[in-house]
Amino acid sequence: MKIKKITFLLLFLLFAIASIKVQAQEWVRKYRADNERLAQLPAEKDRVVFMGNSITEVWGRSRPQFFEGKPWINRGGNGQCTSNMLLRFRADVINLKPKVVIILAGTNDIAENGGPFDFEFSQNNIASMAMLAKANGIRVILCSILPVYEYPWRKTIVDPIGKIAAMNEWIKNYAAENNHIYLDYYSAMVDARKGLKAEYTTDGVHCSPKGYALMESLVVPAIKKTLK
């Protein structure tokens, strides 16, 4: 009986490891075809990559006109944590040879999409992306995490407001210490209870078209400043 139980556990672990490997491959390969297409073309002058999670990914679908006709590349990944973004950073940012990368990351870490939230782990992932970019001559814009009062898919998360505030303070300080631009979406979008203003969101976490329009009004000047 004990041998059967051990065998079952081993098979379960092997299945779990295989599933994680497949997911990791999907994170890295999500944009492979488009990356290969872009690699065949001369890099546009002032190319910009938007690196992020579902907030960034949906931006491209909700407001395609914002990206059309510009050398701006959307590399958002649904549900991704900072560790997932770091894993695909070379393929989806460095190899595209942009002038600027805009990193919007961290909310899914706090939502514990990848396991228990660890401040230092998430900070190290963001710092690693910024360091990789800088080492490859790519200028960096580090974005604040958007306000969240409660994660609808994980309402048991304790004090998301405080965790977001602490992460944003760290991102702001890290940007200043390393000569990166800090883009503060949070202050422009927060409501009285420290969540997203109703007109800027569809579910308390993701943005409405009006929310994206506000973000666009903030990110464009930041891009222009960075390119100077």
Side-chain angles (χ1 to χ4, degrees):
M1 188 71 180
K2 194 176 285 187
I3 293 173
K4 286 184 178 179
K5 189 174 182 180
I6 292 171
T7 302
F8 172 78
L9 287 172
L10 285 172
L11 287 171
F12 177 80
L13 284 171
L14 287 170
F15 175 76
I17 291 168
S19 297
I20 291 169
K21 186 177 180 181
V22 169
Q23 289 175 2
Q25 289 174 340
E26 288 176 353
W27 295 329
V28 174
R29 294 175 179 174
K30 182 179 180 70
Y31 295 105
R32 172 174 283 186
D34 195 48
N35 289 344
E36 290 176 351
R37 178 187 66 81
L38 288 168
Q40 304 303 313
L41 304 172
E44 306 102 321
K45 182 186 176 184
D46 298 339
R47 176 179 283 179
V48 177
V49 174
F50 288 69
M51 167 59 82
N53 48 47
S54 57
I55 295 170
T56 297
E57 183 175 2
V58 174
W59 195 345
R61 296 198 300 268
S62 177
R63 301 269 298 177
Q65 66 273 23
F66 178 64
F67 293 90
E68 288 170 357
K70 305 180 187 76
W72 296 353
I73 301 168
N74 188 307
R75 287 295 179 262
N78 183 44
Q80 292 192 352
C81 299
T82 55
S83 54
N84 308 134
M85 296 181 208
L86 178 58
L87 180 67
R88 62 185 178 88
F89 198 79
R90 179 167 295 280
D92 287 347
V93 179
I94 295 171
N95 291 350
L96 299 181
K97 298 180 171 59
K99 287 283 185 67
V100 179
V101 62
I102 300 166
I103 301 172
L104 174 57
T107 200
N108 287 327
D109 296 50
I110 294 169
E112 300 189 352
N113 283 16
F117 174 58
D118 183 307
F119 277 104
E120 187 176 2
F121 180 71
S122 299
Q123 291 162 359
N124 286 344
N125 290 332
I126 292 172
S128 294
M129 286 189 277
M131 291 171 70
L132 283 168
K134 190 172 183 178
N136 284 274
I138 303 166
R139 299 166 195 171
V140 179
I141 297 174
L142 291 174
C143 305
S144 68
I145 299 171
L146 273 56
V148 175
Y149 179 77
E150 181 181 74
Y151 290 96
W153 66 91
R154 193 159 285 128
K155 296 183 179 182
T156 56
I157 297 298
V158 176
D159 192 25
I161 293 169
K163 292 171 183 174
I164 289 170
M167 278 294 292
N168 282 344
E169 185 66 18
W170 178 86
I171 294 169
K172 180 180 179 180
N173 291 335
Y174 180 85
E177 290 165 4
N178 292 276
N179 296 317
H180 303 314
I181 284 183
Y182 174 66
L183 178 52
D184 184 9
Y185 290 133
Y186 181 95
S187 297
M189 304 181 82
V190 68
D191 67 9
R193 66 175 192 166
K194 307 297 184 185
L196 269 170
K197 290 182 180 178
E199 63 267 34
Y200 296 147
T201 184
T202 56
D203 61 359
V205 177
H206 298 92
C207 294
S208 64
K210 191 171 182 179
Y212 284 123
L214 175 64
M215 290 171 68
E216 290 161 15
S217 73
L218 297 172
V219 74
V220 170
I223 291 171
K224 290 179 179 178
K225 181 179 179 181
T226 308
L227 289 171
K228 286 182 181 178

